[in-house]
Amino acid sequence: MMSLIDIRQKQGDFMQDKLLFKLITPDGLQKETDCESVTINISEDENGKNSGSYGIRKGHANAIFSLDDGEITVKNKDEIIYTVVVKGGFALMQDNVLTVMTNKIEISVFE
């Protein structure tokens, strides 16, 4: 089975117009969808700063985030297409793909 990344690369539209959101737990890939923005809750950095709600869109710099417990919201325009509550974890933003890795999903509402 081809992933959305494989399909997008084959069609030649990879990284053209959307951000790809992926949610992974120890049980495997839970969700993979194109979107315009994702809001995550990040943990404090080593200086005790920069915690709270953080928005990510296409074109964001590559980065790794430590996640606090809380809601992740995935949107297209102003419409929420997916919401999940996670118990901590990490997020990797790389080449317009946001991969969220968490051990536990509390609540998940799919589109």
Side-chain angles (χ1 to χ4, degrees), residues 17-52:
D17 60 349
K18 299 255 181 159
L19 174 68
L20 179 62
F21 171 78
K22 296 171 70 174
L23 176 65
I24 300 173
T25 68
D27 295 326
L29 182 66
Q30 302 299 311
K31 181 69 174 175
E32 183 178 55
T33 188
D34 285 317
C35 63
E36 290 188 358
S37 67
V38 178
T39 303
I40 59 176
N41 289 301
I42 59 173
S43 300
E44 293 181 351
D45 63 17
E46 62 275 1
N47 299 316
K49 299 179 181 177
N50 300 324
S51 64

Side-chain angles (χ1 to χ4, degrees), residues 80-99:
I80 296 173
I81 59 170
Y82 179 70
T83 300
V84 63
V85 176
V86 299
K87 297 294 281 179
F90 294 92
L92 170 65
M93 177 62 183
Q94 186 172 25
D95 300 327
N96 290 322
V97 178
L98 179 66
T99 304

Side-chain angles (χ1 to χ4, degrees), residues 13 15 28 30-31 37 46 55 58-59 61 66 85 88-91 93-94 101-103 108-109 111:
D13 65 352
M15 298 187 336
Q30 302 299 311
K31 181 69 174 175
S37 67
E46 62 275 1
K58 177 184 170 265
S66 176
V85 176
F90 294 92
M93 177 62 183
Q94 186 172 25
M101 296 156 280
T102 184
N103 281 324
S108 180
V109 180
E111 58 187 340

